[in-house]
Amino acid sequence: WRRTHFSNEITPEMDGEEIIVMGWTHSIRKLGKLVFIILRDREGTVQIVVPKQKVSEEVFTTAKSVGREDVIAIKGKVVANEKAPAGFEIIPVEIRILNKAETPLPLDPSEKVPADIDTRLDRRFLDLRRPKIQALFRLRSEMLKSVRDTFYNNGFIEVNTPKLVASATEGGTELFPISYFDREAFLGQSPQLYKQMMMAAGFDRVFEIGPIFRAEEHNTRRHLNEAISIDCEMSFSDEKDAMNVLENVVHNVFVDLYENNQKELRTLDINLNVQETPFPRVTYTEAVDIVNSKGIDMEWGEDFSRAAEKILGDSMEGFYFITEWPTETRPFYTLPNQENPKICKAFDLMYKDLEISSGAQRNHKYDLLVEGIKRMGLNPEGFGTYLEAFKYGMPPHAGWGMGAERFMMIITCQENIRECVLFPRDRQRLTP
Ligand code: ATP
Ligand code: AMO
């Protein structure tokens, strides 16, 4: 047997046609002389009706033996029927049970019985069968496609850089050490050093979508230990150019999902609000003033505390940039402002109180960079060939990194970042 149609490809106009559908038994109702099976596949559900008088004895017996979540294949006739959920139903000529599901089910994929997130994540393969969860991951897939489209349309080349690395990039405390034969190595925190080396390599504009690993100690609703980072780097560009590309990427995702994914958005009850560009920009200093004016004490030069982020988020609508950060708060590769080296050319993209992305124009001068590395308490010797790349012709450049899951939290209005990962990794969770 070959499947002829997904559930959403069948219409009442196909009345009388023979089709083959395959999927899971979403629900089953057995009345004396009538069996109703709702078959679920990736695209939705379809109603199979099995009236004892209209089918063979074998078909009726098989229908009665079907259990919830059994994998079934049905060859049958489309019958238009105004009373059926989609205006038609299928009357089978043959039913095959491809695989039985054990009972009781550890989790209810029909969404009737609620379960807490840990139970759901323990049995993620079953949880992922739920139509709402499937819709979320369909949106995630479309988001990544849209991001790639924008990059390709703007002259970026997709690259893949190593995830087994020899040094830290985002501060030494959040590294996962691993043993690499007889040496110490780490899981990559960010493709930062590699994407910058690609600028020295003359690739001009690159992007990468790949995993980052961070040994975050805290269990929060917005941190993962393994996340997917959308990274880009562009030559002969400053932080403003990088911000323009970033808001373009974000805006296009909203437009593309709005235009192409109404079905998934409806399933998730999401009312997508496409925010026009340019997104508002506030300087770090202005943001500190806002925070202080709302009664949260904060010194110029500090990073925003969680309380400060919350207060700031309450005063801002949707997406906004925070620019002109104190140099001290940002990594060594950030370019300080020439006139006032206390501030630098870094930015964060925020959505209300959540940081979605960080970026900057980079330090492209060798001496300044070495100084910056020492200032962070790191040893320049650990940065061997990365530093060399700055000696032999490094163009001015800028870029950013955006967490795919943080971005999905905003798109799909999730409170917990784990909802946006198939198999999340957090402090407690290493399986499944
Ligand atoms: P990134 O680390 O990539 O810059 P982020 O949004 O995770 O992005 P953090 O610096 O980790 O930024 O956190 C932002 C703020 O939230 C910081 O001021 C930090 O102290 C605070 N924070 C982080 N984790 C927790 C936590 N578990 N509980 C309370 N506050 C936290
Ligand atoms: P940063 O450390 O701010 O910057 O990370 C960039 C973005 O990655 C996401 N992110 C995370 N998402 C989930 N869980 C985590 N533990 C986590 N850590 C980070 C966030 C964050 O905004 N090299 C720079 C980027 C650059 O300048 O190009 C960097 O890594 O969305």
Side-chain angles (χ1 to χ4, degrees):
W1 280 15
R2 271 267 155 72
R3 172 172 57 203
T4 60
H5 295 80
F6 274 120
S7 57
N8 67 334
E9 293 168 334
I10 309 167
T11 62
E13 288 69 46
M14 289 163 62
D15 185 62
E17 264 182 56
E18 189 170 273
I19 49 106
I20 295 176
V21 286
M22 299 185 180
W24 287 258
T25 311
H26 193 62
S27 68
I28 176 153
R29 238 174 346 133
K30 296 168 190 173
L31 314 170
K33 291 181 176 162
L34 197 59
V35 177
F36 287 102
I37 298 171
I38 305 292
L39 177 146
R40 185 187 70 242
D41 61 21
R42 193 182 77 182
E43 304 298 331
T45 56
V46 54
Q47 177 163 299
I48 319 291
V49 59
V50 196
K52 195 171 181 191
Q53 291 95 338
K54 292 196 188 160
V55 299
S56 71
E57 203 177 315
E58 194 194 340
V59 166
F60 193 70
T61 314
T62 313
K64 278 203 300 187
S65 74
V66 168
R68 283 189 54 207
E69 296 304 314
D70 287 355
V71 180
I72 54 176
I74 288 177
K75 184 191 277 180
K77 271 216 167 69
V78 179
V79 181
N81 177 356
E82 278 174 14
K83 283 186 271 171
F88 69 88
E89 49 201 10
I90 312 288
I91 298 187
V93 292
E94 193 178 334
I95 299 178
R96 290 185 184 171
I97 299 178
L98 303 181
N99 217 339
K100 292 289 293 175
E102 283 185 23
T103 51
L105 294 163
L107 197 76
D108 173 22
S110 75
E111 295 181 321
K112 284 187 193 119
V113 186
D116 65 50
I117 186 152
D118 272 317
T119 312
R120 288 176 38 217
L121 291 177
D122 284 343
R123 300 290 159 65
R124 191 58 156 163
F125 69 94
L126 272 173
D127 185 51
L128 289 166
R129 288 185 193 169
R130 297 177 171 200
K132 277 193 163 90
I133 317 262
Q134 294 227 338
L136 192 149
F137 285 97
R138 188 69 81 87
L139 290 177
R140 181 176 159 130
S141 164
E142 296 290 331
M143 177 276 283
L144 290 171
K145 177 174 185 296
S146 168
V147 167
R148 282 204 167 84
D149 286 346
T150 302
F151 278 132
Y152 282 118
N153 291 337
N154 285 281
F156 285 82
I157 295 173
E158 182 162 10
V159 298
N160 302 104
T161 65
K163 305 305 156 205
L164 292 171
V165 299
S167 61
T169 56
E170 312 301 316
T173 55
E174 295 167 5
L175 277 168
F176 279 116
I178 52 167
S179 73
Y180 191 72
F181 305 106
D182 51 357
R183 270 183 291 170
E184 188 180 45
F186 306 97
L187 294 176
Q189 285 177 305
S190 158
Q192 186 63 35
L193 306 188
Y194 292 99
K195 58 182 186 168
Q196 290 192 261
M197 283 194 272
M198 295 312 291
M199 299 300 98
F203 276 48
D204 206 86
R205 290 182 157 211
V206 300
F207 78 98
E208 174 165 14
I209 301 178
I212 56 170
F213 303 92
R214 299 188 179 200
E216 310 273 2
E217 292 285 338
H218 302 290
N219 236 329
T220 79
R221 289 169 166 264
R222 60 211 171 88
H223 287 95
L224 294 164
N225 295 111
E226 176 175 354
I228 294 297
S229 181
I230 300 164
D231 270 275
C232 80
E233 205 64 28
M234 46 206 280
S235 287
F236 307 105
S237 302
D238 63 15
E239 79 284 10
K240 296 191 178 69
D241 301 318
M243 285 158 72
N244 290 343
V245 170
L246 176 53
E247 65 189 355
N248 220 335
V249 163
V250 169
H251 176 77
N252 288 350
V253 166
F254 276 75
V255 170
D256 287 343
L257 295 184
Y258 188 86
E259 285 180 357
N260 305 325
N261 298 93
Q262 281 301 326
K263 184 181 162 198
E264 287 77 17
L265 294 169
R266 266 199 309 275
T267 303
L268 285 162
D269 287 325
I270 295 167
N271 190 2
L272 210 61
N273 178 17
V274 182
Q275 187 177 330
E276 290 307 320
T277 57
F279 297 159
R281 280 122 164 101
V282 295
T283 65
Y284 167 87
T285 306
E286 287 164 349
V288 172
D289 287 345
I290 295 174
V291 168
N292 281 328
S293 75
K294 305 264 169 171
I296 301 258
D297 273 341
M298 170 179 177
E299 298 277 333
W300 195 95
E302 284 175 17
D303 208 339
F304 295 96
S305 68
R306 195 63 203 114
E309 278 181 347
K310 282 223 165 91
I311 284 283
L312 192 59
D314 285 344
S315 336
M316 306 296 296
E317 279 295 313
F319 291 104
Y320 61 99
F321 286 104
I322 305 177
T323 62
E324 299 181 29
W325 286 73
T327 307
E328 290 282 315
T329 61
R330 306 301 285 213
F332 62 85
Y333 50 76
T334 312
L335 184 67
N337 192 307
Q338 257 185 333
E339 287 85 56
N340 177 8
K342 277 196 150 47
I343 59 170
C344 66
K345 290 169 167 287
F347 59 84
D348 275 2
L349 176 66
M350 307 288 295
Y351 184 91
K352 299 209 166 105
D353 66 347
L354 187 69
E355 179 198 309
I356 304 297
S357 170
S358 290
Q361 182 173 351
R362 320 301 189 184
N363 208 331
H364 62 282
K365 293 277 164 59
Y366 179 83
D367 295 338
L368 276 177
L369 199 57
V370 173
E371 240 175 70
I373 291 176
K374 288 185 183 154
R375 180 165 45 79
M376 273 182 78
L378 299 167
N379 183 357
E381 276 172 27
F383 293 87
T385 46
Y386 167 71
L387 276 177
E388 256 192 9
F390 290 78
K391 282 192 191 169
Y392 303 102
M394 174 65 96
H397 59 283
W400 47 261
M402 171 164 73
E405 293 80 12
R406 291 262 178 107
F407 189 28
M408 282 311 292
M409 282 175 82
I410 299 311
I411 294 169
T412 62
C413 312
Q414 298 296 324
E415 290 294 324
N416 192 334
I417 196 166
R418 291 163 186 76
E419 297 284 0
C420 304
V421 198
L422 290 176
F423 300 103
R425 291 290 174 262
D426 63 30
R427 186 76 199 260
Q428 267 78 43
R429 187 173 287 281
L430 196 53
T431 57

